[in-house]
Amino acid sequence: MREAEHTLEGLVGFARALRHSGMRCGPARVRSFLDATEHVDFADRDQLYWAGRLTLCSDPDDLPRFDAAFHAWFGRLVETTELRQEQRRQVRSRALPLGGDEPESAESIEAEQLAAAGDVEVLHRRDLAELGEEERAHLRRMISWLDPRPPRRPALRWRRARDGRLDPGATMRAMIRTGGEPVRLVRRTRGDRPRKVVLLIDVSGSMSPYADALLRFAHVVVRAAPASTEVFTLGTRLTRVTRQLRQRDPEFALTAAGRAVPDFSGGTRLGSTLRAFLDRWGQRGAARQAVVVLFSDGWERGDTAELAEQMIRLRRLAHAVLWANPHAGHEGYAPVQSGIAAALPHVDGLVAGHSLAALRELWQRVRSCSESAATGRPAGDSVEVSGA
């Protein structure tokens, strides 16, 4: 009985890990997965794999997430030593090495699974600039598992709803069909639609340790809402990379974006590049009522007065402006760099952008900025400095 309870906890824990990776596997799918496992041999890894894949995956985009999570969670069932060692490298980071070769009991399997989950949590909060090559490879997979749902805004059109305001026209038409009797009152409410999001990513030399991860994060955001997301890189010039990041494969997308950006690891002229963005794109509609996120450490080689002027223009157009600074997540940070000091009075929030956890919290902030409009609250009257 105790062994069955342990097995059930492991299966439910696997489903919980899938939800954390971004898959939409609700209670009904989890119940189907548990029912399917009653008819498979747990010693046969392939049977368990297909039982989970057929019941828990609902979209083609779920397959890479499921495969990665399955190998991380059930990898110990592999009989081949070579595959077992490869899976250890995938789920472990050098920040927290694990010992031991073969599990000797169910308790040791659970301990190693918990240790691997701890490794992932450590990597989740590590500074992107401090990662080794293996950790960066693991982080790329973790970024690809993200599911950043686009922020929403109220639409102009109404839609029928169970609760809401009375729809007189629809109610009258319903009365005509029932001989003039008000059999049913028709109600309506405002619909919603995706709010525009603009990501401005600094790719100068001081931001080069973060550029790859930020562009991969931007790729995931663009793939989630390609029609309402724009991505630009900032350096000595402005480059639009939205079209390149719309490609499905992240490696192809990042390669295409790298070819399109001529000023990687160069200087920083935030004021002039923001002016170019506003003149060509923002003023014409890209930034109007959008949530604009600027990823930069704030080092400005140009005129800081010009940067402040362009930030004022941007704030007038946008619904909200957030500044993600990788140094804001470090203890004792003070926004004293010339660029961030000039821009700070004109942003709605200065947030951290140094880790995957910080990027998750940033996206929650993006969604909350948009939801504030629907509830009638201002997007932000004061600047908040937060770290992760």
Side-chain angles (χ1 to χ4, degrees), residues 234-260:
L234 309 177
T236 56
R237 58 180 296 179
L238 174 78
T239 306
R240 180 176 181 261
V241 292
T242 308
R243 180 173 59 84
Q244 289 80 3
L245 294 181
R246 284 175 180 162
Q247 299 185 54
R248 184 182 187 90
D249 187 274
E251 300 305 325
F252 290 158
L254 267 291
T255 300
R259 288 196 298 262

PDB file of all heavy atoms in Angstrom, residues 234-260:
ATOM      1  N   LEU A 234      18.706  47.646 -29.431  1.00  0.00           N
ATOM      2  CA  LEU A 234      19.280  48.980 -29.282  1.00  0.00           C
ATOM      3  C   LEU A 234      20.785  48.856 -29.077  1.00  0.00           C
ATOM      4  O   LEU A 234      21.237  48.017 -28.305  1.00  0.00           O
ATOM      5  CB  LEU A 234      18.666  49.707 -28.081  1.00  0.00           C
ATOM      6  CG  LEU A 234      17.150  49.760 -27.975  1.00  0.00           C
ATOM      7  CD1 LEU A 234      16.737  50.463 -26.688  1.00  0.00           C
ATOM      8  CD2 LEU A 234      16.534  50.459 -29.173  1.00  0.00           C
ATOM      9  N   GLY A 235      21.527  49.679 -29.743  1.00  0.00           N
ATOM     10  CA  GLY A 235      22.969  49.751 -29.574  1.00  0.00           C
ATOM     11  C   GLY A 235      23.429  51.103 -30.079  1.00  0.00           C
ATOM     12  O   GLY A 235      23.064  52.143 -29.538  1.00  0.00           O
ATOM     13  N   THR A 236      24.221  51.098 -31.125  1.00  0.00           N
ATOM     14  CA  THR A 236      24.542  52.350 -31.801  1.00  0.00           C
ATOM     15  C   THR A 236      23.495  52.684 -32.848  1.00  0.00           C
ATOM     16  O   THR A 236      23.486  53.788 -33.386  1.00  0.00           O
ATOM     17  CB  THR A 236      25.916  52.244 -32.480  1.00  0.00           C
ATOM     18  OG1 THR A 236      25.922  51.119 -33.372  1.00  0.00           O
ATOM     19  CG2 THR A 236      27.008  52.059 -31.428  1.00  0.00           C
ATOM     20  N   ARG A 237      22.606  51.704 -33.117  1.00  0.00           N
ATOM     21  CA  ARG A 237      21.504  51.932 -34.051  1.00  0.00           C
ATOM     22  C   ARG A 237      20.324  51.054 -33.652  1.00  0.00           C
ATOM     23  O   ARG A 237      20.465  50.157 -32.801  1.00  0.00           O
ATOM     24  CB  ARG A 237      21.940  51.624 -35.491  1.00  0.00           C
ATOM     25  CG  ARG A 237      22.444  50.214 -35.683  1.00  0.00           C
ATOM     26  CD  ARG A 237      22.862  49.974 -37.126  1.00  0.00           C
ATOM     27  NE  ARG A 237      21.718  50.076 -38.025  1.00  0.00           N
ATOM     28  CZ  ARG A 237      21.800  49.934 -39.352  1.00  0.00           C
ATOM     29  NH1 ARG A 237      22.985  49.744 -39.921  1.00  0.00           N
ATOM     30  NH2 ARG A 237      20.728  50.023 -40.105  1.00  0.00           N
ATOM     31  N   LEU A 238      19.185  51.320 -34.264  1.00  0.00           N
ATOM     32  CA  LEU A 238      17.960  50.574 -33.971  1.00  0.00           C
ATOM     33  C   LEU A 238      17.753  49.502 -35.043  1.00  0.00           C
ATOM     34  O   LEU A 238      17.897  49.776 -36.231  1.00  0.00           O
ATOM     35  CB  LEU A 238      16.765  51.524 -33.946  1.00  0.00           C
ATOM     36  CG  LEU A 238      15.385  50.884 -33.785  1.00  0.00           C
ATOM     37  CD1 LEU A 238      15.152  50.497 -32.329  1.00  0.00           C
ATOM     38  CD2 LEU A 238      14.288  51.838 -34.247  1.00  0.00           C
ATOM     39  N   THR A 239      17.401  48.277 -34.608  1.00  0.00           N
ATOM     40  CA  THR A 239      17.140  47.185 -35.549  1.00  0.00           C
ATOM     41  C   THR A 239      15.871  46.463 -35.129  1.00  0.00           C
ATOM     42  O   THR A 239      15.738  46.044 -33.980  1.00  0.00           O
ATOM     43  CB  THR A 239      18.298  46.174 -35.581  1.00  0.00           C
ATOM     44  OG1 THR A 239      19.529  46.856 -35.848  1.00  0.00           O
ATOM     45  CG2 THR A 239      18.065  45.136 -36.665  1.00  0.00           C
ATOM     46  N   ARG A 240      14.946  46.312 -36.077  1.00  0.00           N
ATOM     47  CA  ARG A 240      13.721  45.553 -35.816  1.00  0.00           C
ATOM     48  C   ARG A 240      13.977  44.085 -36.131  1.00  0.00           C
ATOM     49  O   ARG A 240      14.391  43.741 -37.237  1.00  0.00           O
ATOM     50  CB  ARG A 240      12.568  46.076 -36.683  1.00  0.00           C
ATOM     51  CG  ARG A 240      11.241  45.343 -36.474  1.00  0.00           C
ATOM     52  CD  ARG A 240      10.140  46.002 -37.294  1.00  0.00           C
ATOM     53  NE  ARG A 240       8.857  45.354 -37.097  1.00  0.00           N
ATOM     54  CZ  ARG A 240       8.321  44.459 -37.934  1.00  0.00           C
ATOM     55  NH1 ARG A 240       8.989  44.106 -39.038  1.00  0.00           N
ATOM     56  NH2 ARG A 240       7.151  43.917 -37.701  1.00  0.00           N
ATOM     57  N   VAL A 241      13.741  43.218 -35.145  1.00  0.00           N
ATOM     58  CA  VAL A 241      13.988  41.787 -35.323  1.00  0.00           C
ATOM     59  C   VAL A 241      12.721  40.966 -35.121  1.00  0.00           C
ATOM     60  O   VAL A 241      12.790  39.754 -34.924  1.00  0.00           O
ATOM     61  CB  VAL A 241      15.098  41.303 -34.353  1.00  0.00           C
ATOM     62  CG1 VAL A 241      16.440  41.909 -34.727  1.00  0.00           C
ATOM     63  CG2 VAL A 241      14.743  41.613 -32.910  1.00  0.00           C
ATOM     64  N   THR A 242      11.563  41.591 -35.183  1.00  0.00           N
ATOM     65  CA  THR A 242      10.296  40.879 -34.975  1.00  0.00           C
ATOM     66  C   THR A 242      10.116  39.773 -36.003  1.00  0.00           C
ATOM     67  O   THR A 242       9.739  38.639 -35.654  1.00  0.00           O
ATOM     68  CB  THR A 242       9.124  41.856 -35.055  1.00  0.00           C
ATOM     69  OG1 THR A 242       9.356  42.958 -34.183  1.00  0.00           O
ATOM     70  CG2 THR A 242       7.833  41.166 -34.669  1.00  0.00           C
ATOM     71  N   ARG A 243      10.356  40.079 -37.259  1.00  0.00           N
ATOM     72  CA  ARG A 243      10.143  39.085 -38.321  1.00  0.00           C
ATOM     73  C   ARG A 243      11.050  37.883 -38.119  1.00  0.00           C
ATOM     74  O   ARG A 243      10.620  36.734 -38.287  1.00  0.00           O
ATOM     75  CB  ARG A 243      10.403  39.734 -39.683  1.00  0.00           C
ATOM     76  CG  ARG A 243      10.211  38.796 -40.871  1.00  0.00           C
ATOM     77  CD  ARG A 243      10.331  39.557 -42.178  1.00  0.00           C
ATOM     78  NE  ARG A 243      11.628  40.195 -42.280  1.00  0.00           N
ATOM     79  CZ  ARG A 243      12.729  39.581 -42.723  1.00  0.00           C
ATOM     80  NH1 ARG A 243      12.672  38.309 -43.076  1.00  0.00           N
ATOM     81  NH2 ARG A 243      13.864  40.228 -42.809  1.00  0.00           N
ATOM     82  N   GLN A 244      12.304  38.111 -37.752  1.00  0.00           N
ATOM     83  CA  GLN A 244      13.232  36.990 -37.551  1.00  0.00           C
ATOM     84  C   GLN A 244      12.795  36.114 -36.377  1.00  0.00           C
ATOM     85  O   GLN A 244      12.908  34.888 -36.425  1.00  0.00           O
ATOM     86  CB  GLN A 244      14.647  37.516 -37.306  1.00  0.00           C
ATOM     87  CG  GLN A 244      15.327  38.110 -38.523  1.00  0.00           C
ATOM     88  CD  GLN A 244      14.873  39.535 -38.811  1.00  0.00           C
ATOM     89  OE1 GLN A 244      14.078  40.105 -38.060  1.00  0.00           O
ATOM     90  NE2 GLN A 244      15.384  40.121 -39.886  1.00  0.00           N
ATOM     91  N   LEU A 245      12.270  36.728 -35.313  1.00  0.00           N
ATOM     92  CA  LEU A 245      11.902  35.969 -34.115  1.00  0.00           C
ATOM     93  C   LEU A 245      10.563  35.258 -34.256  1.00  0.00           C
ATOM     94  O   LEU A 245      10.173  34.497 -33.359  1.00  0.00           O
ATOM     95  CB  LEU A 245      11.870  36.901 -32.904  1.00  0.00           C
ATOM     96  CG  LEU A 245      13.221  37.489 -32.488  1.00  0.00           C
ATOM     97  CD1 LEU A 245      13.060  38.368 -31.261  1.00  0.00           C
ATOM     98  CD2 LEU A 245      14.250  36.398 -32.220  1.00  0.00           C
ATOM     99  N   ARG A 246       9.853  35.480 -35.347  1.00  0.00           N
ATOM    100  CA  ARG A 246       8.597  34.763 -35.559  1.00  0.00           C
ATOM    101  C   ARG A 246       8.813  33.338 -36.052  1.00  0.00           C
ATOM    102  O   ARG A 246       7.862  32.564 -36.127  1.00  0.00           O
ATOM    103  CB  ARG A 246       7.721  35.527 -36.555  1.00  0.00           C
ATOM    104  CG  ARG A 246       7.045  36.747 -35.940  1.00  0.00           C
ATOM    105  CD  ARG A 246       6.284  37.547 -36.965  1.00  0.00           C
ATOM    106  NE  ARG A 246       5.637  38.712 -36.359  1.00  0.00           N
ATOM    107  CZ  ARG A 246       5.196  39.757 -37.038  1.00  0.00           C
ATOM    108  NH1 ARG A 246       5.320  39.802 -38.358  1.00  0.00           N
ATOM    109  NH2 ARG A 246       4.623  40.769 -36.408  1.00  0.00           N
ATOM    110  N   GLN A 247      10.028  32.977 -36.393  1.00  0.00           N
ATOM    111  CA  GLN A 247      10.302  31.610 -36.805  1.00  0.00           C
ATOM    112  C   GLN A 247      10.093  30.665 -35.635  1.00  0.00           C
ATOM    113  O   GLN A 247      10.387  30.997 -34.485  1.00  0.00           O
ATOM    114  CB  GLN A 247      11.739  31.486 -37.326  1.00  0.00           C
ATOM    115  CG  GLN A 247      12.028  32.357 -38.539  1.00  0.00           C
ATOM    116  CD  GLN A 247      13.418  32.120 -39.088  1.00  0.00           C
ATOM    117  OE1 GLN A 247      13.780  30.983 -39.390  1.00  0.00           O
ATOM    118  NE2 GLN A 247      14.200  33.185 -39.218  1.00  0.00           N
ATOM    119  N   ARG A 248       9.614  29.486 -35.937  1.00  0.00           N
ATOM    120  CA  ARG A 248       9.247  28.541 -34.882  1.00  0.00           C
ATOM    121  C   ARG A 248      10.460  28.026 -34.118  1.00  0.00           C
ATOM    122  O   ARG A 248      10.451  27.976 -32.892  1.00  0.00           O
ATOM    123  CB  ARG A 248       8.481  27.365 -35.503  1.00  0.00           C
ATOM    124  CG  ARG A 248       7.958  26.360 -34.483  1.00  0.00           C
ATOM    125  CD  ARG A 248       7.269  25.201 -35.167  1.00  0.00           C
ATOM    126  NE  ARG A 248       6.636  24.320 -34.205  1.00  0.00           N
ATOM    127  CZ  ARG A 248       5.395  24.437 -33.764  1.00  0.00           C
ATOM    128  NH1 ARG A 248       4.655  25.442 -34.206  1.00  0.00           N
ATOM    129  NH2 ARG A 248       4.887  23.599 -32.897  1.00  0.00           N
ATOM    130  N   ASP A 249      11.507  27.642 -34.825  1.00  0.00           N
ATOM    131  CA  ASP A 249      12.687  27.072 -34.174  1.00  0.00           C
ATOM    132  C   ASP A 249      13.514  28.179 -33.526  1.00  0.00           C
ATOM    133  O   ASP A 249      13.913  29.127 -34.203  1.00  0.00           O
ATOM    134  CB  ASP A 249      13.538  26.318 -35.193  1.00  0.00           C
ATOM    135  CG  ASP A 249      14.682  25.563 -34.538  1.00  0.00           C
ATOM    136  OD1 ASP A 249      15.742  26.185 -34.327  1.00  0.00           O
ATOM    137  OD2 ASP A 249      14.504  24.367 -34.242  1.00  0.00           O
ATOM    138  N   PRO A 250      13.813  28.088 -32.224  1.00  0.00           N
ATOM    139  CA  PRO A 250      14.551  29.171 -31.565  1.00  0.00           C
ATOM    140  C   PRO A 250      15.960  29.355 -32.104  1.00  0.00           C
ATOM    141  O   PRO A 250      16.458  30.485 -32.172  1.00  0.00           O
ATOM    142  CB  PRO A 250      14.560  28.760 -30.083  1.00  0.00           C
ATOM    143  CG  PRO A 250      14.266  27.303 -30.075  1.00  0.00           C
ATOM    144  CD  PRO A 250      13.418  27.034 -31.265  1.00  0.00           C
ATOM    145  N   GLU A 251      16.626  28.265 -32.505  1.00  0.00           N
ATOM    146  CA  GLU A 251      17.993  28.404 -33.018  1.00  0.00           C
ATOM    147  C   GLU A 251      17.998  29.133 -34.351  1.00  0.00           C
ATOM    148  O   GLU A 251      18.832  30.011 -34.593  1.00  0.00           O
ATOM    149  CB  GLU A 251      18.646  27.028 -33.144  1.00  0.00           C
ATOM    150  CG  GLU A 251      18.743  26.258 -31.843  1.00  0.00           C
ATOM    151  CD  GLU A 251      19.461  27.046 -30.755  1.00  0.00           C
ATOM    152  OE1 GLU A 251      20.414  27.796 -31.075  1.00  0.00           O
ATOM    153  OE2 GLU A 251      19.076  26.906 -29.580  1.00  0.00           O
ATOM    154  N   PHE A 252      17.073  28.775 -35.244  1.00  0.00           N
ATOM    155  CA  PHE A 252      16.971  29.482 -36.516  1.00  0.00           C
ATOM    156  C   PHE A 252      16.618  30.947 -36.290  1.00  0.00           C
ATOM    157  O   PHE A 252      17.150  31.843 -36.946  1.00  0.00           O
ATOM    158  CB  PHE A 252      15.924  28.821 -37.412  1.00  0.00           C
ATOM    159  CG  PHE A 252      16.329  27.473 -37.939  1.00  0.00           C
ATOM    160  CD1 PHE A 252      15.371  26.564 -38.368  1.00  0.00           C
ATOM    161  CD2 PHE A 252      17.656  27.100 -37.998  1.00  0.00           C
ATOM    162  CE1 PHE A 252      15.739  25.317 -38.851  1.00  0.00           C
ATOM    163  CE2 PHE A 252      18.039  25.860 -38.477  1.00  0.00           C
ATOM    164  CZ  PHE A 252      17.075  24.958 -38.900  1.00  0.00           C
ATOM    165  N   ALA A 253      15.705  31.188 -35.331  1.00  0.00           N
ATOM    166  CA  ALA A 253      15.275  32.568 -35.055  1.00  0.00           C
ATOM    167  C   ALA A 253      16.435  33.395 -34.526  1.00  0.00           C
ATOM    168  O   ALA A 253      16.638  34.544 -34.956  1.00  0.00           O
ATOM    169  CB  ALA A 253      14.117  32.556 -34.064  1.00  0.00           C
ATOM    170  N   LEU A 254      17.202  32.837 -33.585  1.00  0.00           N
ATOM    171  CA  LEU A 254      18.323  33.598 -33.015  1.00  0.00           C
ATOM    172  C   LEU A 254      19.428  33.819 -34.050  1.00  0.00           C
ATOM    173  O   LEU A 254      20.064  34.877 -34.073  1.00  0.00           O
ATOM    174  CB  LEU A 254      18.880  32.864 -31.802  1.00  0.00           C
ATOM    175  CG  LEU A 254      18.313  33.251 -30.435  1.00  0.00           C
ATOM    176  CD1 LEU A 254      18.765  34.654 -30.064  1.00  0.00           C
ATOM    177  CD2 LEU A 254      16.798  33.149 -30.401  1.00  0.00           C
ATOM    178  N   THR A 255      19.647  32.832 -34.915  1.00  0.00           N
ATOM    179  CA  THR A 255      20.653  33.003 -35.964  1.00  0.00           C
ATOM    180  C   THR A 255      20.246  34.104 -36.930  1.00  0.00           C
ATOM    181  O   THR A 255      21.068  34.950 -37.315  1.00  0.00           O
ATOM    182  CB  THR A 255      20.853  31.680 -36.728  1.00  0.00           C
ATOM    183  OG1 THR A 255      21.284  30.668 -35.805  1.00  0.00           O
ATOM    184  CG2 THR A 255      21.897  31.835 -37.822  1.00  0.00           C
ATOM    185  N   ALA A 256      18.969  34.106 -37.325  1.00  0.00           N
ATOM    186  CA  ALA A 256      18.488  35.142 -38.233  1.00  0.00           C
ATOM    187  C   ALA A 256      18.558  36.521 -37.582  1.00  0.00           C
ATOM    188  O   ALA A 256      18.932  37.513 -38.227  1.00  0.00           O
ATOM    189  CB  ALA A 256      17.051  34.828 -38.659  1.00  0.00           C
ATOM    190  N   ALA A 257      18.208  36.598 -36.293  1.00  0.00           N
ATOM    191  CA  ALA A 257      18.288  37.880 -35.594  1.00  0.00           C
ATOM    192  C   ALA A 257      19.730  38.350 -35.484  1.00  0.00           C
ATOM    193  O   ALA A 257      20.024  39.542 -35.634  1.00  0.00           O
ATOM    194  CB  ALA A 257      17.656  37.764 -34.203  1.00  0.00           C
ATOM    195  N   GLY A 258      20.655  37.413 -35.239  1.00  0.00           N
ATOM    196  CA  GLY A 258      22.059  37.789 -35.152  1.00  0.00           C
ATOM    197  C   GLY A 258      22.592  38.345 -36.460  1.00  0.00           C
ATOM    198  O   GLY A 258      23.399  39.285 -36.458  1.00  0.00           O
ATOM    199  N   ARG A 259      22.141  37.763 -37.581  1.00  0.00           N
ATOM    200  CA  ARG A 259      22.569  38.300 -38.876  1.00  0.00           C
ATOM    201  C   ARG A 259      21.984  39.675 -39.147  1.00  0.00           C
ATOM    202  O   ARG A 259      22.585  40.492 -39.843  1.00  0.00           O
ATOM    203  CB  ARG A 259      22.165  37.337 -39.998  1.00  0.00           C
ATOM    204  CG  ARG A 259      22.991  36.056 -40.043  1.00  0.00           C
ATOM    205  CD  ARG A 259      22.813  35.356 -41.378  1.00  0.00           C
ATOM    206  NE  ARG A 259      21.428  34.967 -41.594  1.00  0.00           N
ATOM    207  CZ  ARG A 259      20.952  33.750 -41.364  1.00  0.00           C
ATOM    208  NH1 ARG A 259      21.765  32.806 -40.884  1.00  0.00           N
ATOM    209  NH2 ARG A 259      19.687  33.459 -41.593  1.00  0.00           N
ATOM    210  N   ALA A 260      20.795  39.943 -38.600  1.00  0.00           N
ATOM    211  CA  ALA A 260      20.129  41.224 -38.867  1.00  0.00           C
ATOM    212  C   ALA A 260      20.686  42.360 -38.033  1.00  0.00           C
ATOM    213  O   ALA A 260      20.561  43.527 -38.416  1.00  0.00           O
ATOM    214  CB  ALA A 260      18.628  41.085 -38.615  1.00  0.00           C
TER     215      ALA A 260
END
